[in-house]
């Protein structure tokens, strides 16, 4: 009663404008922006040095990029906390029918039992530096657009190679902040031995499965512990028994008492990509052309894979990672398509651009310099729209089958590896080539001939639809056999390929990767012949993309310039997989008319959802603990329950998976893993009203470790 009265008074004060609620702001702030913030006023009780201090130790030293996800160190012995879905490929790789870590979870009772997370790497920021001038100095006036793109790419590669030579063992990346305009060099400490420490069963780590993915209310235990290892002398090294746990400069302190509604929180992480600074033409292309194509393609692949998965447990395990990825993207895109339509986002962009154009046209000088930017971008997207079915086909075709993709990469490598290091495609540069090979080998483990064949066939059938200047001759040659109908001709081709090709065999593949183009040209098999004939088509396509990129980069760089003049402010660059800060509050929202969501879910809600069949299997043990009300010390006092997931108003995207959610003091209170359905659109436009991120409440993780997981040793390691 008292509380309600307080709420009413607060509401009246807000309406009168005498009180303002501290709203979260749009913006994934780069490190370079942190010192400009008035942290106290925003709600932090840390000062900016404690948050980020390039000359000392700060919170940022505890945050890592874990193979594309985010994670954090939570003990002095290199213990890492990240999402279950981020660790899933590692779990899948060590799972077999006999040792089903997916089904049962995984617990290493001591360090000697931890399992290698093959292919996983850790990156931590060492330092960063603006290199825009150096990068752009490579561009000369007389260059055409393709040459421009190539010159910038080459310059970036040169910078990276030089820096990695200067700092052996470190990893350098140049990130494009504003397209075609600003570039920042990041130098990372790089760890190559990562191990699996603890994961819950998949039924918990993914509770609710695809049905609940990108949704609230949510009850998912999306967490896993891993550990980073280095050589005994502290240097970065590949896996070895002799390696020792890495001692991070900083590890996060866990706040076991968690948070409550309206508490201030912030997130540090590596958001992947956002597109907010792109134009209406790009939005239209995404909404009307690209996303519907992918939703359709992935939908049909899911159908194929799911059917084949039912065959047996081994096949199901093999296809699980691919299926998870396809589902995740498809549902996100569906959310984005719905929001594009509901919010009329493309129309809004158009209206903004109209106002900008009026501003430009109103000034002679501006008109001369910037008058045609929007028109030219529009023309480019018209061209891209026409080419779209052809472009999409080519870009997905070589990825659709393990056999084809390996054969293509082998041939590509033979050509690229002959070039000078900085002139090669990035995957074949010396700094990346062993990793590229490792990924190819790792992919073999999941090779499922039935699935591979059917997707390959489906893509060939799709190619039949490409006509006239878009028709792909090497494929037409296979299909157009006199007297044989199309499907039969494709079937025959597939049959020969899969009975002859050995590109799924480790030894053969390794051997082929050593062959020169000349040697490969002498090998006469249907698959390699197809690759050889397709190669010039892909080469032309690459040149076209470079030419388009060069043109667009220049236009977008000028667009940002004039937009800044128009708005009189500077902007935050779109996400680009570099470290960002975002802040907000533990807060619910209203996704639809008459629906209000509150920001905590609980164990009670999890049990309510239980159907004991996928994807809602709570399991006997959890149900038993719940029925005994064995909540222990990690509870949500206001509900006398164990909090499971939380909702908060930060600005996150893919790549923020596994990011720590921190309280005002910088202590860990949650683990970010998702966004709500309405917020999938924030890759294109953020708003406080619908942008909500979802995290696992740290209390659920701790409760789970203590009561369910027999992992008290990890609590101890985290000082709890
Ligand atoms: N769950 C998401 C992902 O798959 C995280 C996000 O996009 O917010 O990347």
């Amino acid at each position: 009663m008292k509380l309600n009265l307080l709420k009413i008074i607060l509401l009246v004060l807000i309406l009168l404008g005498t009180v303002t609620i501290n709203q979260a702001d749009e913006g994934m702030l780069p490190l370079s922006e942190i010192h400009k913030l008035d942290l106290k006023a925003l709600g932090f009780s840390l000062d900016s040095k404690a948050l980020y201090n390039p000359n000392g130790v700060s919170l940022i030293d505890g945050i890592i990029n874990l193979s594309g996800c985010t994670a954090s160190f939570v003990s002095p012995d290199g213990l890492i906390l990240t999402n279950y879905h981020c660790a899933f490929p590692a779990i899948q790789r060590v799972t077999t029918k006999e040792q089903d870590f997916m089904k049962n979870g995984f617990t290493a009772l001591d360090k000697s039992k931890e399992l290698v997370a093959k292919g996983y790497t850790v990156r931590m920021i060492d330092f960063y530096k603006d290199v825009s001038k150096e990068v752009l100095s490579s561009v000369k006036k007389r260059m055409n657009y393709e040459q421009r793109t190539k010159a910038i790419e080459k310059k970036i590669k040169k910078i990276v190679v030089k820096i990695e030579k200067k700092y052996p063992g470190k990893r350098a990346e140049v990130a494009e902040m504003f397209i075609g305009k600003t570039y920042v060099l990041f130098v990372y400490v790089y760890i190559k031995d990562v191990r699996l420490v603890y994961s819950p069963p998949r039924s918990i780590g993914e509770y609710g499965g695809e049905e609940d993915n990108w949704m609230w209310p949510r009850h998912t235990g999306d967490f896993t512990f891993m550990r980073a290892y280095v050589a005994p002398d502290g240097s970065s090294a590949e896996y070895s028994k002799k390696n020792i746990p890495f001692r991070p400069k900083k590890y996060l302190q866990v706040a076991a008492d968690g948070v409550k509604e309206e508490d201030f929180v912030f997130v540090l992480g590596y958001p992947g990509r956002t597109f907010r600074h792109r134009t209406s033409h790009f939005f239209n292309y995404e909404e009307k052309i690209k996303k519907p194509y992918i939703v359709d393609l992935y939908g049909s692949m899911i159908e194929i894979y799911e059917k084949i998965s039912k065959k047996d447990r081994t096949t199901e395990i093999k296809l699980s990672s691919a299926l998870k990825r396809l589902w995740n993207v498809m549902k996100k895109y569906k959310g984005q398509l719905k929001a594009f339509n509901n919010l009329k986002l493309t129309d809004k962009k158009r209206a903004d651009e109209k106002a900008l154009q009026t501003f430009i046209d109103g000034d002679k000088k501006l008109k001369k310099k910037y008058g045609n930017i929007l028109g030219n971008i529009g023309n480019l997207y018209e061209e891209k729209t026409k080419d779209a079915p052809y472009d999409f086909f080519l870009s997905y075709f070589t990825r659709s089958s393990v056999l084809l993709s390996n054969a293509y990469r082998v041939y590509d490598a033979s050509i690229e590896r002959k070039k000078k290091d900085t002139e090669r495609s990035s995957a074949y540069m010396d700094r990346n080539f062993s990793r590229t090979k490792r990924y190819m080998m790792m992919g073999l483990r999941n090779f499922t001939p039935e699935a591979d064949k059917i997707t390959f066939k489906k893509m060939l059938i799709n190619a039949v639809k490409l006509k006239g200047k878009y028709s792909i001759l090497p494929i037409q040659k296979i299909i157009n056999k006199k007297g044989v109908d199309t499907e039969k001709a494709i079937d025959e081709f597939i049959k020969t390929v899969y009975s002859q090709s050995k590109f799924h065999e480790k030894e053969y593949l390794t051997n082929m990767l050593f062959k020169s183009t000349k040697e490969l040209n002498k090998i006469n098999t249907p698959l390699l012949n197809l690759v050889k004939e397709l190669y010039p088509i892909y080469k032309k396509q690459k040149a076209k993309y470079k030419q388009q990129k060069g043109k667009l980069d220049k236009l977008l760089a000028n667009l940002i310039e004039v937009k800044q003049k128009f708005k009189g402010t500077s902007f935050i660059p779109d996400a680009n997989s570099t470290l960002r800060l975002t802040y907000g509050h533990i807060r619910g929202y209203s996704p639809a008319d008459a629906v209000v969501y509150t920001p905590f879910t609980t164990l009670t809600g999890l049990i309510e959802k239980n159907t004991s069949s996928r994807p809602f299997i709570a399991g006997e043990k959890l149900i038993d603990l719940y029925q005994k009300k064995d909540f222990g010390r990690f509870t949500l006092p206001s509900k006398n329950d164990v909090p499971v997931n939380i909702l908060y108003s930060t600005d996150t995207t893919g790549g923020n998976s596994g990011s720590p959610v921190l309280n005002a003091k910088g202590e860990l209170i949650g683990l970010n893993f998702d966004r709500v359905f309405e917020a999938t659109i924030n890759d294109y436009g953020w708003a406080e009203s619908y942008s909500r991120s979802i995290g696992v409440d740290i209390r659920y993780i701790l409760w789970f470790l203590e009561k369910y997981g027999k992992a008290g040793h990890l609590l101890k390691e985290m000082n709890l």
Side-chain angles (χ1 to χ4, degrees), residues 5 57 243 332 563 652 668 692:
L5 192 67
V57 179
N243 285 355
K332 175 169 77 173
K563 252 165 97 176
T652 58
L668 189 78
R692 290 293 180 277

Side-chain angles (χ1 to χ4, degrees), residues 85 213-214 328 332 652-657 672-675:
H85 81 263
N213 196 10
W214 304 107
N328 192 46
K332 175 169 77 173
T652 58
T653 185
N656 271 120
S657 287
N672 186 73
F673 71 96
D674 209 3
R675 282 169 285 161

Side-chain angles (χ1 to χ4, degrees), residues 2 28 56 151 216 256 283 330 335 379 481 484 564 587 639 711:
K2 232 181 181 173
M28 299 165 170
W216 187 260
F283 277 29
M330 188 176 80
N379 293 341
K481 278 200 182 146
V484 183
Q564 268 163 3
R587 190 173 285 169
K639 294 203 173 178

